[in-house]
Amino acid sequence: MKNEVKLYVGESLGKYGFPDGHPFGTDRQDAFWKEAVKRGLDKRAGITDPRMAAAEELHRFHTPEHVAWVKEKSEEGHGTIDYGDTPACPGIYEAAATVAGSALHGLDTIMSGGAQRTFQPIGGLHHARRGTAAGFCVFNDVGVVIDTLRSQFGVKRIGYVDIDVHHGDGLYYPYEEDPDLIYADIHQDGRTLYPGTGHANEIGKGKAKGTKLNIPLLPGMGDKEFLDVWPRVEAHLRQFKPEFILFQCGADSLAGDPLAMLQYTPAAHAHAAKRLCVLANEMAGGRIMGFGGGGYNRANLAAAWCGVLDEFLKA
């Protein structure tokens, strides 16, 4: 298997976002890319073109009704797709399907031996549920990857690690009773931030009880607190030994993000990426996919994501 890291960037991926000053604007990929080029990361990664997912691929996670609704609202080009956070702008269906399709291309590349690691800065849309959009997330690309790993590749035990400032509710609840989705999420306390979930006592249900780890941090906490709790994530993964690791590295947990109140530096994201690559090499054949997630301060997301990509390239 090649050690090359595949990096998914391109015009069609960059179109995922919303107009009129929305925090999730279409300039986020460009902010990352400029910093990546400045650091020379573009010369070290295997730059890969995006691709759009077909509706039947989206149906692996999403209901056909939700996919059809998004397409209809995208064609209308006004209003909202969900209850108010996620605008219905022209072309959002194609852009969101490209986020999911690029993730599937990365998965295919890893499973065929073309790479061990992939990174997709415009990805990790972890609030979308099976039947609805939410929190700027139209389709849940990671959910599509999880269900594809199972249905197409027979990989059942999957590790999902999320350090976005917001709880990954769109992945926690669909798999809350699934004992083979090993979930670990460090985020700002849900009592102080959207979506209001991810409390420490949410550890899975039924046969999945104990396979889910939620670590809420209080507003104002930073790298010290992150590094203090991070060993719990490693211990959780080692306990259950996933065969494949998915990493959502939202940069909205850095100090200065306009929508949240944690105080990380980019070092937190680099540390998480480095350690997850070690764990992937130990138990998952090196297989790990990274997704940019949230982040609304452009300098922050550029620094954090470049740090993750650099660690992927060094692993």
Side-chain angles (χ1 to χ4, degrees):
M1 179 179 288
K2 296 179 181 178
N3 288 325
E4 185 177 33
V5 177
K6 298 295 186 184
L7 171 63
Y8 285 81
V9 292
E11 181 180 357
S12 56
L13 257 179
K15 288 180 179 178
Y16 186 84
F18 308 96
D20 302 325
H22 192 281
F24 203 125
T26 56
D27 60 330
R28 296 167 80 249
Q29 179 182 256
D30 188 53
F32 157 78
W33 181 244
K34 286 179 179 177
E35 182 66 17
V37 171
K38 181 179 176 182
R39 298 189 187 194
L41 299 176
D42 58 315
K43 296 180 173 62
R44 296 164 55 199
I47 310 302
T48 308
D49 291 333
R51 84 157 175 89
M52 184 175 161
E56 51 269 26
E57 292 176 314
L58 299 172
H59 294 163
R60 294 172 190 167
F61 179 83
H62 290 292
T63 64
E65 293 78 11
H66 174 57
V67 174
W69 167 253
V70 172
K71 190 168 188 179
E72 176 184 332
K73 294 302 292 182
S74 178
E75 291 170 355
E76 288 180 4
H78 60 85
T80 59
I81 296 171
D82 56 8
Y83 44 79
D85 287 332
T86 311
C89 50
I92 194 62
Y93 174 88
E94 290 78 10
T98 298
V99 174
S102 299
L104 288 176
H105 189 281
L107 176 60
D108 289 341
T109 300
I110 290 175
M111 297 305 293
S112 66
Q116 282 187 313
R117 297 172 293 281
T118 65
F119 185 64
Q120 189 171 315
I122 306 302
L125 305 180
H126 63 169
H127 295 307
R129 304 285 185 98
R130 293 191 185 275
T132 185
F136 316 160
C137 303
V138 174
F139 296 135
N140 194 321
D141 50 318
V142 181
V144 174
V145 166
I146 290 169
D147 287 356
T148 300
L149 267 167
R150 285 156 169 195
S151 64
Q152 306 297 310
F153 296 106
V155 176
K156 300 299 182 185
R157 198 166 59 258
I158 300 161
Y160 174 73
V161 177
D162 190 324
I163 63 170
D164 191 290
V165 80
H166 302 93
H167 179 236
D169 58 323
L171 289 156
Y172 178 82
Y173 294 106
Y175 301 101
E176 188 176 22
E177 298 184 47
D178 184 334
D180 289 321
L181 195 283
I182 313 306
Y183 181 101
D185 194 322
I186 304 174
H187 50 272
Q188 186 175 318
D189 194 307
R191 294 170 297 179
T192 62
L193 192 70
Y194 176 92
T197 56
H199 307 298
N201 62 357
E202 294 187 88
I203 60 172
K205 291 182 177 179
K207 293 181 180 179
K209 189 175 182 179
T211 64
K212 312 295 184 277
L213 176 66
N214 280 295
I215 306 177
L217 299 180
L218 295 175
M221 289 184 171
D223 286 10
K224 179 186 182 301
E225 291 82 6
F226 178 84
L227 294 172
D228 284 347
V229 301
W230 177 258
R232 295 175 57 192
V233 173
E234 294 196 24
H236 188 66
L237 293 176
R238 284 202 167 95
Q239 179 182 353
F240 294 103
K241 296 180 173 55
E243 305 165 83
F244 199 106
I245 294 177
L246 305 168
F247 177 36
Q248 204 272 26
C249 55
D252 40 11
S253 44
L254 270 65
D257 190 90
L259 300 187
M261 294 170 279
L262 291 184
Q263 301 292 313
Y264 300 171
T265 74
H269 286 62
H271 178 78
K274 181 178 181 177
R275 295 303 304 161
L276 288 176
C277 286
V278 169
L279 292 172
N281 288 336
E282 285 182 12
M283 62 186 69
R287 302 181 300 191
I288 182 170
M289 298 179 71
F291 303 86
Y296 308 101
N297 176 310
R298 291 350 187 214
N300 278 356
L301 67 83
W305 294 348
C306 284
V308 169
L309 178 57
D310 185 49
E311 292 298 340
F312 273 31
L313 289 162
K314 292 190 294 190

